[in-house]
């Protein structure tokens, strides 16, 4: 075993040549703990609930379940939508509610159970979305099923399922029966650990009623939840655009309604609000044929949503979930029809995800809110072309590089540590103008447990350009004076990257069984180089890494 002795001025070079004139410096101290390494990122979601129990859906869910130190939470649309369970882009159904000829409700939990059963068997939990409107209850039921495809007008998806109920008492009874059924099937203790949330983005086309009609929908739904299980957790409103004028107006009005208005269902003042949710999206564009990301709108959405919740004494400690937190808005819009989404297959999605998640921790710390979850609205699309450019975590059962960022995060535990970086963009700069300067964003997220320290390192920039990267010099203070093992994991063009391997194969749309095995090997998080052992002297150690642009690394120190 190779042992390298370290003194304060000596660093371990674990990758590449050193270019002193182009170096970034990161400093971390084990003595400067700033909070828990809580995995708010272990939340995922998608439009199409029926993918859950299909072959590639089950495979991906099993991988998500194993990467997180806590139960992963899943949020899906269309859990109450009427239909035969056929899966399609931005569509799904369970047929949970129909009526007979006399208008008597018929409840059918078979497909909803198939979805929730899949989660529970894997040790996951639903972030159970109450929506959308069953056809028999809709005030405007026709047309109901849409047949949207990439390139179509997005408004085509808003059909009969988006309208208010014609009978709010039947709506409340539906929710009561659903929650009651879940308690009977999974047990009270299990369902008490879930969160129920009402609808999706009611401030845009997903809701065809007024704001007050949504509050009425919410009151009756929340009453149904609490009537079935008084200790259940329910909330909302999952508004789009946390920093948009419409989003901020809606979120404020919703909180005020829950605090002070007369409840439409009970006639009393106030409505249950156990979790508050809103959405945050970035906005990539195409500049001379090249993708340019824009993280600023996403960070501003989060910041303003956090501020609104914190501004009310009644909600300042209420758990917050960013119900969708993504680089842009349409997961099912592939890069063929939306070329600005071409970032999704390669490492740019990975580095953006690492850099943005670190800023979410910063925002929560700076505002002192109760940040519980951030949903990456990305899953998989069954039986679609290979690497079509959907915003997904896997394609045809093969993981994309971005999934390995979550595997890295899953290896981080304990307490988060303060990180100082001379080329890490400030939170204010990212919120104001994203990451557009001459330098890339060289940043880190660090955590320490009893005998381990992990450092997530990225080299990100909004412009989709690749180069050999920069030298990153990492100094770590107050390590115990002992032997320390250092292991590096890497996401770049040569590591943890099935997409680059697929391209080298000739981008086959019908890969052979042998090729698929090769892709499945390339999809996994890969170690970079060999593990080395070093000796910390005077409490100081460090490493120097040459990290390619849009690359991500995880350094694991153990002793």
């Amino acid at each position: 075993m190779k042992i390298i002795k370290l003194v304060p001025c000596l660093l371990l070079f674990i990758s590449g040549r050193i270019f002193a004139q182009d170096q970034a410096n990161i400093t971390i101290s084990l003595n400067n703990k700033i909070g828990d390494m809580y995995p708010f990122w272990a939340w995922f979601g998608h439009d199409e609930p029926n993918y859950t129990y299909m072959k590639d859906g089950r495979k991906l869910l099993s991988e998500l379940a194993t990467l997180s130190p806590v139960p992963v939470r899943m949020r899906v649309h269309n859990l109450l939508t009427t239909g035969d369970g056929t899966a399609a882009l931005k569509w799904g159904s369970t047929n949970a509610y129909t009526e007979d000829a006399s208008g008597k409700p018929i409840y059918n939990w078979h497909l909803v159970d198939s979805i929730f059963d899949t989660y529970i068997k894997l040790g996951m939990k639903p972030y159970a979305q109450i929506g959308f409107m069953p056809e028999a209850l809709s005030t405007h039921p026709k047309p109901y099923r849409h047949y949207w495809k990439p390139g179509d007008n997005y408004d085509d998806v808003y059909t009969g399922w988006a309208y208010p109920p014609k009978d709010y008492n039947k709506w409340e009874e539906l929710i009561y029966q659903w929650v009651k059924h879940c308690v009977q099937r999974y047990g009270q203790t299990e369902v008490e650990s879930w969160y129920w949330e009402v609808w999706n983005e009611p401030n845009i086309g997903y809701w065809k009623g007024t704001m007050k009609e949504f509050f009425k929908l919410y009151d009756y739904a929340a009453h149904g939840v609490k009537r079935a299980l008084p200790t259940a957790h329910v909330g909302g409103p999952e508004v789009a655009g946390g920093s948009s004028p419409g989003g901020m107006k809606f979120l404020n009005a919703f909180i005020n309604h829950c605090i002070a208005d007369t409840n439409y269902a009970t006639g009393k003042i106030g409505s249950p609000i156990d979790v508050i949710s809103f959405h945050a999206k970035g906005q990539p564009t195409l500049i001379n044929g090249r993708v340019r990301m824009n993280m600023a709108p996403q960070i501003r959405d989060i910041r303003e949503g956090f501020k609104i919740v914190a501004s009310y004494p009644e909600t300042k400690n209420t758990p917050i979930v960013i119900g969708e937190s993504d680089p842009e808005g349409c997961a099912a819009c592939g890069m063929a029809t939306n070329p600005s989404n071409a970032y999704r297959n390669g490492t740019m999605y990975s580095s953006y995800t690492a850099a943005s998640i670190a800023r979410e921790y910063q925002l929560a710390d700076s505002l002192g809110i109760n940040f519980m979850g951030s949903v990456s609205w990305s899953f998989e699309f069954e039986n679609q072309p290979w690497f079509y450019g959907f915003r997904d975590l896997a394609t045809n059962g093969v993981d994309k590089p971005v999934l390995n960022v979550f595997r890295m995060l899953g290896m981080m535990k304990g307490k988060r540590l303060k990180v100082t970086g001379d080329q890490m963009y400030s939170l204010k700069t990212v919120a104001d103008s994203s990451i557009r300067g001459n330098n890339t964003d060289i940043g880190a997220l660090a955590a320490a447990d009893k005998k381990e320290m992990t450092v997530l390192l990225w080299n990100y920039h909004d412009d989709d350009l690749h180069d050999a990267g920069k030298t990153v010099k990492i100094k770590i203070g107050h390590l115990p004076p002992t032997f320390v093992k250092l292991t590096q994991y890497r996401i770049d063009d040569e590591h943890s990257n099935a997409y680059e391997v697929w391209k080298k194969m000739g981008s086959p749309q019908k890969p052979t069984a042998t090729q698929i095995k090769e892709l499945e090997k390339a999809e996994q998080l890969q170690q970079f180089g060999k593990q080395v052992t070093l000796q910390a002297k005077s409490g100081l150690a460090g490493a120097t890494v040459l990290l390619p642009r849009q690359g991500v690394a995880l350094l694991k120190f153990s002793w």
Side-chain angles (χ1 to χ4, degrees):
M1 179 181 294
K2 187 178 181 181
I3 297 175
I4 302 177
K5 292 184 178 180
L6 294 178
V7 295
C9 60
L10 182 64
L11 293 166
L12 172 66
F13 298 91
I14 61 175
S15 172
R17 291 188 297 128
I18 298 303
F19 300 88
Q21 70 275 19
D22 192 20
Q23 178 176 286
N25 298 289
I26 297 234
T27 303
I28 306 165
S29 172
L30 272 171
N31 281 3
N32 201 340
K33 298 177 175 63
I34 58 174
D36 292 330
M37 186 65 206
Y38 58 100
F40 69 74
W41 48 266
W43 298 58
F44 301 91
H46 51 111
D47 292 71
E48 304 85 1
N50 306 100
Y51 290 161
T52 300
Y53 46 77
M54 297 174 74
K55 61 179 178 63
D56 291 340
R58 290 196 306 268
K59 180 177 185 291
L60 179 55
L61 284 171
S62 67
E63 293 179 329
L64 294 179
T66 59
L67 63 77
S68 171
V70 300
V72 168
R73 308 247 178 189
M74 295 297 302
R75 176 179 186 255
V76 292
H77 294 338
N78 294 300
L79 288 174
L80 296 177
T81 304
T82 302
D84 61 4
T86 299
L89 296 180
K90 300 197 70 64
W91 175 257
S93 59
T94 67
N95 227 37
Y97 180 94
T98 54
E99 293 179 357
D100 65 16
S102 66
K104 181 180 178 181
I106 300 171
Y107 304 108
N108 181 348
W109 308 118
H110 172 68
L111 289 179
V112 176
D113 288 348
S114 296
I115 294 164
F116 283 9
D117 285 356
T118 304
Y119 299 154
I120 301 304
K121 287 177 182 176
L122 290 169
M124 309 171 91
K125 295 183 184 294
Y127 178 39
Q129 184 183 137
I130 299 174
F132 295 121
M133 193 57 60
E135 187 173 10
L137 280 180
S138 175
T139 54
H140 193 289
K142 301 295 183 181
Y144 193 77
R145 166 73 197 270
H146 71 73
Y147 293 89
W148 179 90
K149 63 183 183 300
D152 289 353
N153 186 331
Y154 194 88
D155 288 345
D156 290 352
V157 305
Y158 305 132
T159 53
W161 54 263
Y163 285 83
K166 62 185 180 182
D167 187 324
Y168 282 89
N169 288 318
K170 284 186 175 180
W171 167 252
E172 189 271 350
E173 182 69 17
L174 165 60
I175 309 312
Y176 166 77
Q177 292 292 341
W178 185 18
V179 177
K180 178 183 175 183
H181 169 77
C182 288
V183 173
Q184 292 171 343
R185 186 173 185 86
Y186 305 110
Q188 178 176 331
T189 301
E190 175 61 34
V191 180
E192 284 175 336
S193 71
W194 302 357
Y195 285 83
W196 300 81
E197 48 97 0
V198 181
W199 219 255
N200 177 70
E201 299 185 336
N203 57 320
I204 61 172
Y206 281 90
W207 177 244
K208 291 297 186 179
T210 65
M211 185 187 295
K212 289 186 177 180
E213 284 174 323
F214 174 76
F215 297 163
K216 186 175 182 179
L217 179 91
Y218 179 85
D219 289 351
Y220 275 86
H223 184 60
V225 171
K226 296 288 189 176
R227 187 160 68 91
L229 182 61
T231 51
H233 306 290
V234 64
E238 299 286 349
V239 297
S243 65
S244 67
M248 291 191 291
K249 178 182 177 181
F250 202 109
L251 184 56
N252 273 298
F254 173 77
I255 294 174
N256 275 305
H257 169 74
C258 291
I259 292 171
D261 287 352
T262 300
N263 187 302
Y264 287 97
T266 67
K268 299 178 181 179
I269 298 299
S271 196
I273 183 170
D274 303 312
V275 58
I276 299 176
S277 52
F278 57 86
H279 297 174
K281 305 286 185 176
Q283 194 173 26
T285 55
L286 209 62
I287 305 295
N288 297 323
R290 185 183 70 243
V291 173
R292 172 174 286 177
M293 306 298 285
N294 188 0
M295 195 182 296
Q298 182 182 359
I299 300 304
R300 289 196 297 266
D301 281 346
I302 297 169
R303 182 187 66 194
E304 297 310 311
F306 282 175
K307 284 182 177 180
I308 288 171
V309 177
S311 69
Y312 296 88
E314 297 88 347
T315 63
K316 65 179 182 179
N317 295 318
T318 301
I320 298 174
V321 172
I322 308 170
E324 297 177 22
S325 186
D326 304 288
E328 33 64 42
C330 179
C333 299
M335 62 187 182
T337 54
N338 299 71
S340 61
N341 291 341
Y343 73 90
R344 293 168 165 181
N345 288 329
T347 59
M348 193 171 197
Y349 193 6
S350 308
S351 57
Y352 181 104
T353 298
S356 59
I357 283 176
R359 269 68 187 207
E360 291 182 49
Y361 278 113
Q362 289 179 347
L363 282 166
D365 289 344
S366 67
L367 295 170
I369 48 82
N370 184 2
F371 183 25
M372 183 169 66
S374 179
V375 178
S376 175
W377 198 253
S378 51
F379 188 56
E380 65 97 17
F381 294 87
E382 205 88 13
N383 301 317
Q384 296 293 328
W386 285 81
F387 293 101
Y388 183 75
F390 292 121
R391 192 177 68 237
D392 49 12
L393 303 173
T395 175
N396 290 279
V398 171
D399 300 339
K400 289 186 174 182
V402 66
L403 186 55
N404 285 308
V405 175
F406 295 102
R407 290 191 171 109
M408 288 176 169
L409 288 163
M411 297 168 68
M412 303 181 73
K413 52 191 174 182
K415 298 289 185 179
R416 283 179 294 120
L417 306 173
K418 182 176 175 59
V419 173
T420 302
D422 61 4
Q423 292 189 31
M424 185 173 179
Y425 283 53
S426 71
L427 182 59
K428 183 180 186 304
T429 299
V430 177
D432 289 346
S433 56
S434 196
I435 297 170
R436 302 281 176 85
N438 292 329
N439 287 323
T440 57
D441 179 46
I442 308 289
L445 178 68
D449 207 8
K450 292 180 180 179
K451 291 184 175 295
E452 182 179 290
M453 175 183 172
T454 46
V455 180
L456 181 70
L457 185 69
W458 61 86
N459 182 353
Y460 171 75
H461 195 277
D462 280 351
D463 287 328
D464 189 12
L465 297 171
H466 291 250
D467 57 35
K470 285 188 178 180
T471 299
V472 187
K473 187 175 181 180
I474 305 164
K475 292 183 179 180
I476 303 166
H478 298 98
L479 276 169
T482 186
F483 294 111
V484 178
K485 293 181 180 179
L486 174 56
T487 309
Q488 183 185 174
Y489 302 87
R490 178 70 70 86
I491 305 168
D492 57 27
D493 286 347
E494 304 296 328
H495 302 86
S496 316
N497 194 332
Y499 178 54
E500 290 297 324
V501 173
W502 179 75
K503 288 195 296 183
K504 290 175 183 176
M505 291 176 175
S507 306
Q509 280 301 326
K510 294 182 179 180
T512 65
T514 300
Q515 288 176 321
I516 290 174
K517 285 184 178 179
E518 186 178 350
L519 292 171
E520 289 176 336
K521 182 179 179 181
E523 73 181 2
Q524 295 297 315
L525 180 61
Q526 295 172 11
Q527 184 174 319
F528 183 85
K530 295 181 179 180
Q531 184 186 79
V532 297
T533 300
L534 53 95
Q535 185 177 13
K537 287 280 190 175
S538 302
L540 184 69
T544 299
V545 180
L546 179 60
L547 188 62
R549 182 166 170 146
Q550 312 302 1
V552 185
L554 181 77
L555 307 183
K556 181 179 178 181
F557 300 83
S558 55
W559 54 88

